[in-house]
Amino acid sequence: MKGNVIVGQSGGPTAAINSSLAGVYRTAKDRGAKKVYGMLHGIQGLLQERYIDLSEHIKNELDIELLKRTPAAYLGSCRYKLPEIHENRKVYEKIFEILNRLEIEAFIYIGGNDSMDTIKKLSDYAIVTGQPTRFIGCPKTIDNDLALTDHTPGYGSAAKYIGTSVKEIIRDGFCLEYEKGVVTIVEIMGRNSGWLTGAAALAKGEDCPGPDLIYLPELAFDPEKFSKKIKKLMEKKMSVVVAVSEGIKLADGRYVCELGTSVDFVDAFGHKQLTGTASYLANFVAGEVGCKTRAIELSTLQRAASHLASRVDILEAYQVGGAAVKAADEGDSGKMVVIDRFSDDPYQSGTELKDVHKIANGEKLVPREWVNEEGTYVTEEFITYVKPLIQGDVSPVMVDGIPRHLYRPF
Amino acid sequence: MKGNVIVGQSGGPTAAINSSLAGVYRTAKDRGAKKVYGMLHGIQGLLQERYIDLSEHIKNELDIELLKRTPAAYLGSCRYKLPEIHENRKVYEKIFEILNRLEIEAFIYIGGNDSMDTIKKLSDYAIVTGQPTRFIGCPKTIDNDLALTDHTPGYGSAAKYIGTSVKEIIRDGFCLEYEKGVVTIVEIMGRNSGWLTGAAALAKGEDCPGPDLIYLPELAFDPEKFSKKIKKLMEKKMSVVVAVSEGIKLADGRYVCELGTSVDFVDAFGHKQLTGTASYLANFVAGEVGCKTRAIELSTLQRAASHLASRVDILEAYQVGGAAVKAADEGDSGKMVVIDRFSDDPYQSGTELKDVHKIANGEKLVPREWVNEEGTYVTEEFITYVKPLIQGDVSPVMVDGIPRHLYRPF
């Protein structure tokens, strides 16, 4: 490389997004980039000329290892959608003025669907206006809902955390006996896709019966059938654990979490806060069955728990970052790095480039045939798909009993 | 030992309670006990003659290691308070009939305040009626609220999980910018004592600013002062993280969580469900400050996360189990094993025996001087106290990407 590289992070944070950043930095340096800049808070920050020289922050090999183990976006993230080029050329002129001034040869953006939309628009603009900068996207989302890639970095670590936590919750549920039993509802992220919620099935193994029911947002949720299922389970066992996606909906399209929303849960702007699926269902079951119930939301923990990251996930995130820089260096633009799976067992994968026009704003859902007929559990195909992605550990660097992160004051 | 040993677990589960069970089993076997029985679901199960021969379940050294890493009560737990002896002698006659039939020389009970009450009553009855069985209690509670012991097994692991998770939440909170900032409220267990909530301060270090505010249940909570504090913090930073105990109360004694309780949250028995402190405060702040807010409950995860256990905690739990058997074998009864701390740094501790009459039903709160004057953070003394208890790790035995536990179908 002859010029400089700039990298940004965008969208919801994950436990793996910084490993991609580490991969970008390392490969850019290896390939001779003079400077590697980091946009602060993505394209939104860049528009405000907020960026840093990464070599002032990543000073040695230990820093790279710490960065891989640091959750959330090290550079800060944003949720910002670029206007269409014909709507507002000024924004594009501003961005390219900055990129040209910084002599940016490669622009790498790590994120999900919206971020790939950014790559698409910037690379289109560069082609139309004959700018030299090349634009490559790096996939990242715990939701795993990006099209054309087998899976996305961030998903494997979240799945590992979910499988482990649900297993610990199941163990906890069995050990206290309540006269009429106990039903635990675990709420897992995923507004439209059930990739994360399905990972609750990873709790199942030789030493754990796994959750009893799993409900994904891809299929309509029927409270009456659910209640019957629970009653039947409670005839046989004292502790029932149910994994539900935050986004499950009734057949008429209403979110389950809206059913229980009281005025208390309208925020300052008058928006209904769409949380509380587990709370609502726990109360619903208590009323229907008359047993003790518990609601547990895995919430932010499931996307931030780098202390329990998957080694496969962290390494792939790192590789994907490196592959993005390599692609830009070799002249590609308007592409996203995707992960191809060659084999489930032994697991083998590699990276490839796909045209970002075919990816942006798409959404990959769990296939219908990966959920059982009743819509109450994932199938073996789902398990075969997810299991390789949670393998191996990345030992946290423990300092004084707590995992160490690479820190940059905000 | 010439006779047999029986061991039970009682009260809320923890990540360390099974390490005490492992310690009891190992020391009993080492000292020549013929059989080591496990009561299923504590004294309540014993009364129904539900018990197992532990050597049929703990078959080798690997099983002992797995047991140390298994969260929740392996034998099942109960919340059962024995009647006073003069109220119902029948219960005692039944228990001792079983103990004598099983030739029980030592009865070890692992639990919190209520469990020590059980040890007290049974040892009193044994003395009064001239029975040979000896009764020893093993402390266990994540709440750390048992009197006379420096701390209780289970607390260190929960504190480590809380410090780590709060740090990950802080990292997550900083990386997304919201126009008016974001306030995250983390709800931590502890109805009356703030030992667990104070552990949120462990997130603070060279690489993390730590939570901004910490509210313990020992001090009255003032929503107006809280709101002012938040507004002042939001002038300086975009992300504020607050740790609150589930049990914080107003000066008039009302629980904060009751303030937001709507009819939705009354359970099947008409009991108000006392959860939702974080939800209520998140909505309160959104209304007062007009910013985005998030509520996170660490819930069951904080007592079940054996994947992030403290080595000091797991080893002390094991030692305490062994010390209980040794004490019974040497003729003690009506005593609880306590942990004495000889030094903070380097940390040194040992076990001792205390008369259970002095412990049962007491409650140890966080000293007033370990909280700052305003009541918004713990002091250095608190940190010095808790830090040694979270040191070191117990690597989970990972099988297929998920921690392995010792399993006994319920």
Side-chain angles (χ1 to χ4, degrees):
Chain A
M1 302 192 97
K2 283 164 190 163
N4 301 322
V5 172
I6 194 162
V7 52
Q9 296 172 310
S10 164
T14 77
I17 188 169
N18 290 328
S19 188
S20 287
L21 177 61
V24 167
Y25 180 78
R26 161 57 69 85
T27 301
K29 281 290 173 192
D30 284 354
R31 295 180 85 95
K34 279 182 291 189
K35 291 220 179 235
V36 183
Y37 294 105
M39 306 169 217
L40 298 182
H41 297 284
I43 191 78
Q44 192 169 19
L46 185 67
L47 272 163
Q48 301 156 350
E49 310 222 18
R50 294 164 70 196
Y51 53 81
I52 55 174
D53 179 345
L54 269 171
S55 59
E56 288 173 13
H57 298 265
I58 303 171
K59 293 182 176 153
N60 50 47
E61 296 291 322
L62 177 60
D63 284 351
I64 295 228
E65 287 306 313
L66 289 174
L67 186 56
K68 286 184 189 170
R69 289 158 172 81
T70 301
Y74 178 77
L75 295 171
S77 188
C78 71
R79 295 191 190 279
Y80 180 80
K81 199 159 179 167
L82 279 176
E84 296 298 329
I85 298 171
H86 63 84
E87 282 173 5
N88 189 344
R89 287 186 78 97
K90 282 246 156 67
V91 167
Y92 291 85
E93 284 160 13
K94 176 84 188 274
I95 291 170
F96 279 85
E97 185 274 309
I98 297 167
L99 296 181
N100 290 332
R101 179 162 23 100
L102 295 177
E103 296 171 25
I104 300 300
E105 185 180 340
F107 177 111
I108 314 290
Y109 212 42
I110 310 166
N113 278 318
D114 288 345
S115 314
M116 296 313 134
D117 182 71
T118 298
I119 287 294
K120 182 184 72 174
K121 286 169 177 163
L122 292 176
S123 62
D124 285 354
Y125 184 89
I127 289 165
V128 170
T129 57
Q131 314 272 354
T133 305
R134 292 183 287 273
F135 297 85
I136 301 286
C138 252
K140 170 283 321 169
T141 155
I142 60 164
D143 290 327
N144 197 41
D145 59 353
L146 272 180
L148 301 187
T149 182
D150 178 77
H151 57 278
T152 47
Y155 173 61
S157 293
K160 188 183 184 90
Y161 178 83
I162 290 165
T164 300
S165 296
V166 168
K167 185 170 181 174
E168 290 170 344
I169 288 167
I170 291 168
R171 208 110 274 166
D172 188 277
F174 271 104
C175 83
L176 266 170
E177 284 192 329
Y178 298 92
E179 210 186 330
K180 297 181 177 186
V182 57
V183 174
T184 306
I185 316 277
V186 186
E187 179 175 328
I188 297 168
M189 282 181 173
R191 177 55 54 101
N192 299 315
S193 71
W195 297 107
L196 289 170
T197 305
L202 292 166
K204 192 171 176 175
E206 291 170 345
D207 60 335
C208 181
D212 296 284
L213 298 167
I214 298 177
Y215 291 100
L216 311 190
E218 281 88 347
L219 298 172
F221 180 79
D222 182 336
E224 211 157 302
K225 278 191 191 159
F226 170 64
S227 167
K228 270 188 204 150
K229 273 269 171 204
I230 295 281
K231 282 177 189 158
K232 203 153 187 189
L233 282 162
M234 297 299 283
E235 285 168 15
K236 284 181 294 181
K237 56 199 296 196
M238 292 303 283
S239 173
V240 166
V241 175
V242 183
V244 298
S245 161
E246 59 178 355
I248 53 170
K249 281 181 272 198
L250 304 186
D252 65 13
R254 276 181 300 161
Y255 283 108
V256 169
C257 61
E258 287 183 296
L259 304 178
T261 304
S262 70
V263 283
D264 288 345
F265 293 83
V266 175
D267 74 12
F269 312 105
H271 302 138
K272 275 188 193 173
Q273 296 220 5
L274 291 187
T275 58
T277 305
S279 283
Y280 173 75
L281 288 178
N283 278 288
F284 173 73
V285 168
E288 291 275 310
V289 185
C291 63
K292 181 175 168 65
T293 60
R294 305 190 299 180
I296 299 173
E297 285 180 37
L298 298 190
S299 72
T300 307
L301 302 166
Q302 68 203 287
R303 73 179 186 201
S306 56
H307 75 268
L308 192 64
S310 147
R311 186 162 191 85
V312 164
D313 186 34
I314 297 301
L315 287 187
E316 284 186 340
Y318 188 76
Q319 285 164 10
V320 159
V325 173
K326 178 168 179 281
D329 190 22
E330 291 176 351
D332 284 298
S333 189
K335 305 248 167 92
M336 179 177 92
V337 180
V338 300
I339 301 173
D340 285 331
R341 180 189 304 226
F342 307 129
S343 158
D344 284 326
D345 187 13
Y347 176 68
Q348 290 182 324
S349 70
T351 62
E352 205 196 338
L353 291 173
K354 290 271 165 101
D355 185 340
V356 81
H357 291 82
K358 293 185 179 150
I359 293 158
N361 303 319
E363 196 174 44
K364 186 180 67 178
L365 302 180
V366 176
R368 178 61 186 92
E369 61 273 22
W370 287 12
V371 185
N372 68 5
E373 215 185 305
E374 283 187 295
T376 56
Y377 220 86
V378 291
T379 62
E380 265 313 306
E381 285 102 320
F382 186 99
I383 303 292
T384 305
Y385 168 81
V386 68
K387 205 162 244 182
L389 312 181
I390 66 159
Q391 298 300 316
D393 312 307
V394 185
S395 338
V397 177
M398 301 300 273
V399 174
D400 229 1
I402 298 282
R404 184 74 162 209
H405 302 152
L406 188 66
Y407 180 52
R408 185 181 65 77
F410 275 76
Chain B
M1 302 191 98
K2 285 166 189 162
N4 301 322
V5 172
I6 195 162
V7 52
Q9 296 171 311
S10 163
T14 78
I17 187 170
N18 289 329
S19 188
S20 287
L21 177 61
V24 167
Y25 180 78
R26 161 57 68 84
T27 302
K29 281 289 173 191
D30 284 354
R31 295 179 86 94
K34 279 182 291 189
K35 292 219 179 237
V36 184
Y37 294 105
M39 306 169 218
L40 298 182
H41 297 284
I43 191 79
Q44 193 169 19
L46 186 66
L47 273 163
Q48 299 157 350
E49 309 223 17
R50 294 164 71 195
Y51 53 82
I52 55 174
D53 180 344
L54 269 172
S55 58
E56 289 172 12
H57 298 264
I58 304 172
K59 292 182 176 155
N60 51 48
E61 295 292 322
L62 176 60
D63 283 351
I64 295 226
E65 286 306 313
L66 289 174
L67 186 57
K68 285 184 190 170
R69 288 158 173 83
T70 300
Y74 178 76
L75 294 172
S77 189
C78 70
R79 296 192 189 278
Y80 180 81
K81 199 157 178 168
L82 279 177
E84 296 297 330
I85 298 171
H86 63 84
E87 281 172 6
N88 188 345
R89 288 186 78 96
K90 282 244 155 66
V91 167
Y92 291 85
E93 282 160 13
K94 176 84 188 276
I95 291 170
F96 278 86
E97 186 272 310
I98 297 167
L99 296 181
N100 289 333
R101 179 159 25 98
L102 295 177
E103 296 171 25
I104 301 299
E105 185 178 338
F107 177 111
I108 314 291
Y109 212 42
I110 309 166
N113 277 319
D114 288 345
S115 314
M116 297 312 133
D117 182 71
T118 298
I119 288 292
K120 183 185 72 174
K121 286 169 177 162
L122 292 176
S123 62
D124 285 354
Y125 185 88
I127 289 165
V128 171
T129 57
Q131 313 273 354
T133 305
R134 291 182 287 273
F135 297 86
I136 301 286
C138 251
K140 172 282 322 171
T141 155
I142 60 165
D143 290 328
N144 198 40
D145 59 353
L146 272 180
L148 301 187
T149 182
D150 178 77
H151 57 278
T152 48
Y155 173 60
S157 294
K160 187 183 186 89
Y161 178 83
I162 290 165
T164 300
S165 296
V166 168
K167 184 169 181 174
E168 290 170 342
I169 288 167
I170 291 169
R171 208 108 274 168
D172 188 277
F174 270 104
C175 82
L176 267 170
E177 283 192 329
Y178 298 92
E179 211 187 330
K180 297 181 178 185
V182 56
V183 175
T184 306
I185 317 277
V186 186
E187 179 175 329
I188 297 168
M189 282 182 174
R191 178 54 54 99
N192 300 316
S193 72
W195 296 107
L196 289 171
T197 306
L202 292 166
K204 192 171 178 174
E206 291 170 346
D207 60 337
C208 181
D212 297 285
L213 299 166
I214 298 176
Y215 291 100
L216 311 190
E218 281 89 346
L219 298 172
F221 180 80
D222 181 336
E224 212 157 302
K225 279 192 191 159
F226 170 64
S227 168
K228 270 189 204 150
K229 273 268 171 204
I230 295 282
K231 283 176 188 159
K232 201 154 189 188
L233 282 163
M234 298 298 282
E235 286 167 15
K236 283 181 294 183
K237 56 199 295 197
M238 293 303 282
S239 173
V240 167
V241 175
V242 183
V244 298
S245 162
E246 60 178 356
I248 54 170
K249 282 181 271 199
L250 304 186
D252 65 14
R254 276 180 300 160
Y255 284 108
V256 168
C257 61
E258 286 182 299
L259 305 178
T261 303
S262 70
V263 282
D264 289 345
F265 293 83
V266 176
D267 74 12
F269 312 105
H271 303 138
K272 275 188 194 173
Q273 296 219 4
L274 291 186
T275 58
T277 305
S279 283
Y280 173 76
L281 288 177
N283 277 288
F284 173 74
V285 168
E288 291 276 310
V289 185
C291 62
K292 181 176 168 65
T293 59
R294 305 189 300 178
I296 299 173
E297 285 180 37
L298 297 189
S299 72
T300 307
L301 301 166
Q302 67 203 287
R303 72 180 185 200
S306 57
H307 74 268
L308 193 64
S310 148
R311 187 162 191 85
V312 164
D313 186 35
I314 297 299
L315 288 187
E316 285 186 340
Y318 187 77
Q319 285 163 10
V320 159
V325 172
K326 179 168 178 282
D329 190 23
E330 291 176 351
D332 283 298
S333 188
K335 305 250 167 90
M336 180 177 90
V337 181
V338 300
I339 301 173
D340 285 331
R341 180 188 305 226
F342 307 129
S343 158
D344 284 325
D345 187 13
Y347 176 68
Q348 291 182 323
S349 69
T351 62
E352 206 196 337
L353 291 173
K354 290 272 164 101
D355 185 341
V356 81
H357 292 81
K358 292 184 180 151
I359 294 158
N361 304 320
E363 195 174 44
K364 186 180 66 178
L365 302 179
V366 176
R368 178 61 186 92
E369 61 273 22
W370 286 13
V371 185
N372 68 5
E373 215 185 306
E374 282 187 296
T376 57
Y377 220 87
V378 291
T379 63
E380 266 312 308
E381 285 102 319
F382 186 99
I383 303 293
T384 305
Y385 168 81
V386 69
K387 204 161 245 182
L389 312 182
I390 66 158
Q391 298 301 315
D393 312 307
V394 185
S395 338
V397 177
M398 301 300 272
V399 174
D400 228 2
I402 298 281
R404 183 75 161 208
H405 301 153
L406 189 66
Y407 180 51
R408 186 181 64 78
F410 274 75

